[in-house]
Amino acid sequence: GRNEACTISGLPTVELETVAFDVEQCGSCGCDYLTVNGKKYCGTSGPSGAVAEDGVIEWRSDGSVVESGWKICWATRPPSPPPAPPPPPSPPSPPSPPSAPPAPP
């Protein structure tokens, strides 16, 4: 879109994978650009392999040409914490004593 400004924060520190990247390019990325670690990406060269060390990427676009845009994913997911071990099985209940027949009156 035109005249966009967006900051995406909280990214994990893993490599980025560029799925699609086609934004306006003019000069040294002065029109539409994505910034990762202070480096601007524009045209059809996205940030594949870059790691957002500060957990932030920024997008800016001007008011003129609009291309198809970009889609970026994490190349690998950050490690998940290990699953909690299952609770130990509970010991079997002792059998109930057999009921005595009622005493005769």
Side-chain angles (χ1 to χ4, degrees):
R2 292 185 170 96
N3 299 314
E4 294 178 327
C6 178
T7 299
I8 302 167
S9 56
L11 275 70
T13 51
V14 297
E15 289 186 358
L16 299 175
E17 176 185 349
T18 302
V19 177
F21 200 89
D22 187 6
V23 302
E24 182 185 9
Q25 179 172 359
C26 51
S28 56
C29 296
C31 296
D32 299 353
Y33 56 90
L34 187 76
T35 305
V36 181
N37 297 327
K39 181 178 178 184
K40 292 181 180 180
Y41 296 87
C42 61
T44 55
S45 298
S48 278
V51 175
E53 298 294 343
D54 58 358
V56 175
I57 61 175
E58 294 181 334
W59 164 248
R60 299 288 183 271
S61 66
D62 65 5
S64 62
V65 179
V66 175
E67 300 293 355
S68 59
W70 52 270
K71 179 177 180 178
I72 294 170
C73 298
W74 295 299
T76 56
R77 299 202 178 270
S80 306
S90 30
S93 306
S96 305
S99 1

